[in-house]
Amino acid sequence: MTTTLPILFNNRHILPEGRLPLRITQGAQLETVKYAMRNGLDLGVCMDETSPIGAGIGTRVTIEDFHMSQNEGVLTIIVCGKESFVIDGIRENESGIVEARCQALPAWPQREVSNDAAPLAERLLIMFERYPELSSLHKQPNFDNLTWLCQRWLELLPIPASEKQVLMAAHTCTDTAEYLLSLMKDPH
């Protein structure tokens, strides 16, 4: 299915079922958020447009909450990932908002966590315990679902954007799980 979404460029990935706070800067980002809210639209969140690989793959998100920092005057929105997409084209609309024509990517099938993949769940649980602000974003964590775990790790780890985009484009979480487990076995 093809859809058109107002786009926020960001240096962080969000994936389906993920929740992420995004700091919105004055100017184009704030205007994009206002446009989406005013028109009841979801947003597309993509890697920063200045990255060498371009915007490529992003995620359609809904805005769940927002707040303005009193001392900094910065808007933070909490977004929830719905589905990943690949961009077919980008243009500026009549309101000056950057929009993308997006083709939805198939959702990764849900998979149970095998014994071999258990470290992904164990270490993410430790992260959630160590960083309560991370845990608070995920009201219903699903540590038994390998797909959910892989998506959360891709959001968290500082993996090069080009590698994340390749993994996000896959049809299952298998390659991502193998990649993540190899990182855990061979710390750099």
Side-chain angles (χ1 to χ4, degrees):
M1 179 174 91
T2 301
T3 187
T4 300
L5 294 170
I7 297 294
L8 280 179
F9 293 104
N10 195 280
N11 62 357
R12 296 176 68 189
H13 274 107
I14 181 169
L15 287 103
E17 297 184 50
R19 296 182 79 238
L20 185 69
L22 297 177
R23 290 174 54 102
I24 303 301
T25 59
Q26 293 288 332
Q29 282 192 334
L30 183 58
E31 291 306 312
T32 300
V33 169
K34 288 172 22 180
Y35 175 84
M37 293 181 80
R38 189 172 40 247
N39 292 291
L41 301 171
D42 291 341
L43 291 166
V45 175
C46 301
M47 287 300 287
D48 191 282
E49 61 189 323
T50 62
S51 74
I53 57 165
I57 294 176
T59 301
R60 181 177 63 84
V61 301
T62 57
I63 299 173
E64 289 193 343
D65 198 6
F66 59 92
H67 65 275
M68 182 71 79
S69 163
Q70 296 300 334
N71 51 352
E72 295 177 34
V74 174
L75 176 67
T76 299
I77 60 174
I78 306 295
V79 295
C80 179
K82 297 302 179 185
E83 67 186 1
S84 294
F85 58 78
V86 64
I87 293 178
D88 288 337
I90 293 179
R91 69 175 187 87
E92 191 173 298
N93 71 15
E94 63 282 348
S95 299
I97 303 300
V98 175
E99 293 181 324
R101 196 173 56 255
C102 308
Q103 182 72 36
L105 290 171
W108 286 353
Q110 305 295 305
R111 287 187 41 202
E112 285 188 33
V113 177
S114 66
N115 288 339
D116 291 345
L120 295 175
E122 294 161 1
R123 291 188 182 178
L124 189 60
L125 184 57
I126 291 168
M127 292 280 290
F128 274 37
E129 290 170 354
R130 190 170 293 157
Y131 300 100
E133 65 279 4
L134 178 62
S135 177
S136 70
L137 286 172
H138 301 281
K139 306 282 189 249
Q140 297 177 324
N142 195 347
F143 292 100
D144 296 327
N145 180 336
L146 186 61
T147 295
W148 187 86
L149 290 169
C150 287
Q151 290 171 330
R152 300 303 66 83
W153 279 115
L154 283 179
E155 291 169 346
L156 291 171
L157 290 175
I159 298 168
S162 58
E163 291 178 35
K164 281 188 184 184
Q165 295 257 315
V166 168
L167 293 169
M168 289 171 67
H171 295 290
T172 71
C173 67
T174 303
D175 291 343
T176 300
E178 289 173 8
Y179 177 85
L180 294 169
L181 288 166
S182 74
L183 288 178
M184 289 180 185
K185 288 178 185 168
D186 182 28
H188 301 286

